[in-house]
């Protein structure tokens, strides 16, 4: 198959699956907002953000490293699962000890709803959910390294459809209201992660049984993986804090779950613009990790970045106009401030959309340090402005901080890519 045709098919497969997932998740967000209200939406946002942070920290950058080394035939397939299992058990155990120590302090209340911290049942739910999510992210990486974007996307889309079904069943009263809505939503997230885990494992076994040979590995042998993973890990953590730090600072300064609910919904809706860029990022990363010439990689990246920037501009304007009319109607009057926050956030999200292609390029050519530096620039800008603006201006201050953070990161990527492009002409 022509590699360019294969590249386009992978993008379409990933994008199509993400379209289904985003539509389902969008409807889920409407149902959740109506079931929970702004305050409950704030609690859910804290739980989801904390889970995402822990998955990132406990992953140590290995999911992206696995894609890189498997795509380049630099890692034996039989060594992947033993490595993943060993790392997951050790790190999750360490996290468990730290979590139960921090339960005795007030630190966790910045990051999690109180009922998670103080009820053992929901602490256990959190741990099992983290375990499943950790393993699933590795399995997704393996399938993408094998260029099975279609199957990986189908599983993700199926999970979103299942989640929508669970939300809808509770909302229309098909499920007895024995639990409060927030409990049902968290249980649904756990169930979906479990179903996806079993499907991923069955699919991987069917695709290539070599992954289940369980070949022992040595620390010396996987040293290059750790080096690559550490850089990817630092870049991803810094970038994640860029996106989520403002949520926790709002909670720290204002202790207002309703405010968090409004802001998290605005961020979630604005970041729907990253649906296509994220799909392209995954495929372009695999492409630039492969055995193509630097000229092919830079040309493909430049064209993709320009296309994504144009898409983001058009889609962003249309999305904002729609939000003015649809958000109050769909989500309720408690979220009427959301469209104005979306308008602010888009000023940063649009330029960063084009730069996401550049991020995939730098990671794919093993220059992940560039992504790290760009993320650090954005984080420093975001941290400084959040501390200055959030205490006085609340969620609008957080939105302004995000704009300047995203723009500074995007500019850095563009400058470095143009320099790199000249060298490879």
């Amino acid at each position: 198959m022509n590699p360019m045709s294969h590249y386009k098919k992978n993008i379409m497969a990933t994008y199509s699956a993400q379209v289904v997932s985003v539509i389902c998740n969008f409807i889920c967000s409407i149902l959740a907002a109506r079931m929970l209200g702004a305050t409950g939406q704030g609690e859910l946002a804290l739980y989801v953000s904390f889970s995402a942070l822990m998955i990132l920290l406990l992953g140590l950058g290995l999911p992206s490293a696995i894609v890189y080394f498997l795509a380049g035939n630099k890692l034996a397939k039989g060594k992947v699962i033993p490595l993943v299992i060993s790392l997951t058990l050790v790190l999750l155990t360490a996290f468990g000890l730290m979590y139960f120590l921090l339960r005795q302090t007030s630190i966790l209340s910045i990051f999690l709803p109180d009922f998670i911290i103080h009820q053992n049942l929901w602490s256990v739910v959190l741990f099992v959910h983290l375990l499943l999510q950790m393993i699933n992210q590795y399995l997704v990486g393996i399938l993408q390294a094998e260029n099975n974007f279609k199957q990986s996307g189908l599983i993700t889309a199926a999970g979103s459809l299942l989640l929508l079904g669970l939300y809808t069943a509770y909302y229309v009263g098909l499920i007895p209201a024995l639990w409060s809505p927030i409990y049902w939503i968290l249980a649904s997230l756990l169930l979906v992660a479990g179903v996806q885990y079993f499907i991923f494992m069955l699919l991987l076994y069917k695709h290539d049984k070599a992954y289940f040979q369980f070949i022992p590995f040595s620390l010396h042998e996987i040293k290059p993986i750790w080096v690559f993973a550490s850089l990817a890990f630092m870049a991803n953590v810094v970038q994640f804090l860029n996106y989520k730090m403002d949520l926790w600072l709002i909670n720290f300064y204002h202790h207002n779950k309703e405010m968090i609910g409004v802001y998290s919904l605005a961020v979630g809706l604005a970041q729907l613009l990253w649906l296509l860029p994220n799909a392209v990022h995954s495929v372009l990363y695999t492409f630039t990790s492969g055995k193509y010439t630097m000229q092919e990689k830079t040309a493909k990246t430049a064209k993709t970045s320009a296309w994504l920037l144009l898409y983001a501009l058009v889609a962003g304007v249309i999305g904002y106009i729609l939000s003015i009319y649809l958000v109050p109607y769909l989500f309720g009057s408690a979220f009427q401030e959301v469209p104005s926050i979306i308008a602010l956030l888009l000023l940063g999200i649009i330029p960063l959309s084009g730069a996401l292609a550049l991020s995939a390029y730098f990671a794919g050519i093993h220059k992940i340090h560039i992504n790290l530096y760009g993320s650090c620039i954005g984080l420093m800008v975001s941290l400084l402005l959040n501390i200055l603006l959030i205490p006085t201006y609340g969620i609008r201050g957080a939105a302004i901080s995000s704009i300047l953070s995203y723009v500074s990161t995007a500019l850095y990527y563009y400058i470095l890519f143009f320099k790199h492009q000249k060298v490879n002409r």
Side-chain angles (χ1 to χ4, degrees):
M1 180 183 294
N2 185 302
M4 295 300 114
S5 174
H6 196 57
Y7 175 79
K8 292 177 181 178
K9 286 187 176 182
N10 282 339
I11 289 179
M12 287 306 300
T14 306
Y15 181 59
S16 298
Q18 287 199 11
V19 167
V20 174
S21 296
V22 167
I23 291 173
C24 292
N25 292 339
F26 178 72
I27 299 174
C28 284
S29 69
I30 296 173
L31 297 176
R34 289 186 170 275
M35 288 189 288
L36 299 174
T39 300
Q41 183 75 14
E43 290 184 324
L44 178 60
L46 287 175
Y47 176 87
V48 171
S49 297
F50 179 80
S51 298
L53 175 62
M54 289 301 103
I55 294 303
L56 183 59
L57 292 178
L58 298 175
L60 291 178
L62 274 174
S64 60
I66 286 173
V67 173
Y68 177 83
F69 282 87
L70 282 177
N73 296 318
K74 303 169 185 175
L75 176 64
K77 296 180 179 181
K79 298 181 180 180
V80 174
I81 291 182
L83 176 62
V84 167
I85 293 176
S86 300
L87 183 68
T88 299
L89 292 178
V90 170
L91 291 178
L92 200 57
T93 301
F95 168 73
L97 294 173
M98 183 178 298
Y99 177 85
F100 284 105
L101 287 175
L102 291 177
R103 284 182 80 184
Q104 314 307 317
T105 71
S106 60
I107 295 176
L108 281 178
S109 63
I110 300 174
F111 302 96
L112 281 170
D114 289 339
F115 74 88
I116 297 289
I117 302 170
H118 299 303
Q119 296 184 35
N120 291 333
L121 171 62
W122 293 104
S123 289
V124 172
V125 168
L126 171 65
F127 273 83
V128 177
H129 194 199
L130 288 177
L131 173 63
L132 292 171
Q133 286 179 296
M134 286 179 67
I135 297 176
N136 285 348
Q137 71 171 345
Y138 289 114
L139 297 176
V140 169
I142 293 171
L143 289 174
Q144 290 181 351
E146 294 282 355
N147 275 307
N148 282 341
F149 287 89
K150 181 178 180 180
Q151 293 173 321
S152 175
L154 285 173
I155 297 173
T156 301
S160 298
L161 287 168
L162 174 59
L163 188 65
L164 175 59
L166 293 170
Y167 277 37
T168 303
Y170 187 94
Y171 184 75
V172 301
L174 295 178
I175 302 297
L178 301 178
W179 286 349
S180 67
I182 186 66
Y183 293 162
W184 176 257
I185 287 174
L186 296 189
S188 298
L189 292 172
L190 176 63
L191 177 62
V192 169
V195 170
Q196 288 179 320
Y197 163 75
F198 284 110
I199 296 176
F200 275 129
M201 291 294 286
L202 288 173
L203 182 61
L204 186 60
Y205 183 79
K206 181 179 178 181
H207 172 76
D208 194 339
K209 295 180 177 60
Y211 283 105
F212 295 86
Q213 293 176 351
F214 303 139
I215 302 173
F217 62 90
S218 66
L219 294 179
H220 174 75
E221 186 179 19
I222 63 171
K223 183 178 179 181
I225 301 177
W226 288 113
V227 172
F228 183 94
S230 63
L231 290 172
F233 170 71
M234 288 186 286
N236 290 336
V237 168
V238 173
Q239 191 67 9
F240 181 87
L241 292 176
N242 258 342
Y243 298 154
K244 299 295 184 181
M245 176 177 56
D246 46 7
L247 201 67
W248 298 316
L249 288 174
I250 292 170
N251 192 32
F252 176 76
Y253 283 116
H254 295 279
H255 308 289
N256 188 323
K257 299 297 188 296
E258 182 176 354
M259 185 182 291
I260 294 172
V262 171
Y263 185 71
S264 65
L265 180 61
V267 172
L269 293 177
Q271 289 182 352
L272 288 176
L273 196 64
W274 281 336
L275 167 64
L276 180 59
N278 281 333
V280 172
H281 184 282
S282 299
V283 180
L284 184 59
Y285 173 53
T286 302
F287 177 86
T288 54
S289 297
K291 297 179 180 180
Y292 300 97
T293 67
M294 289 303 300
Q295 288 79 8
E296 289 176 319
K297 293 178 181 180
T298 54
K300 176 62 67 177
T301 301
K303 183 178 180 180
T304 302
S305 178
W307 182 60
L308 287 179
L309 191 59
L310 177 61
Y311 148 81
L313 180 61
V314 174
V317 172
I318 295 173
Y320 167 64
I321 294 172
L322 290 176
S323 73
I324 296 174
Y325 300 99
L326 294 181
V327 168
Y329 175 74
L330 294 175
F331 294 92
S333 58
F335 299 95
Q336 60 185 355
E337 193 178 358
V338 165
S340 62
I341 302 300
I342 289 176
L344 289 174
L345 291 169
L346 288 176
L347 296 176
I349 288 176
I350 290 173
L352 190 56
S353 296
L356 287 177
L358 312 184
S359 170
Y361 168 80
F362 291 130
I365 65 171
H366 209 172
K367 291 188 179 293
I368 193 70
H369 63 278
I370 292 178
N371 291 342
L372 175 59
Y373 297 155
S375 298
C376 286
I377 291 171
L379 179 61
M380 288 187 290
V381 171
S382 178
L383 179 59
L384 176 62
L385 293 179
N386 275 324
I387 292 174
L388 291 175
L389 298 178
I390 286 179
T392 303
Y393 300 102
I395 59 178
R396 291 186 179 275
I400 293 171
S401 301
S402 295
I403 294 171
L404 297 177
S405 172
Y406 296 166
V407 170
S408 62
T409 298
L411 284 175
Y412 178 79
Y413 288 159
Y414 278 116
I415 292 171
L416 267 291
F417 178 74
F418 289 145
K419 289 182 178 179
H420 201 263
Q421 192 177 27
K422 289 180 180 179
V423 173
N424 290 285
R425 282 178 179 172

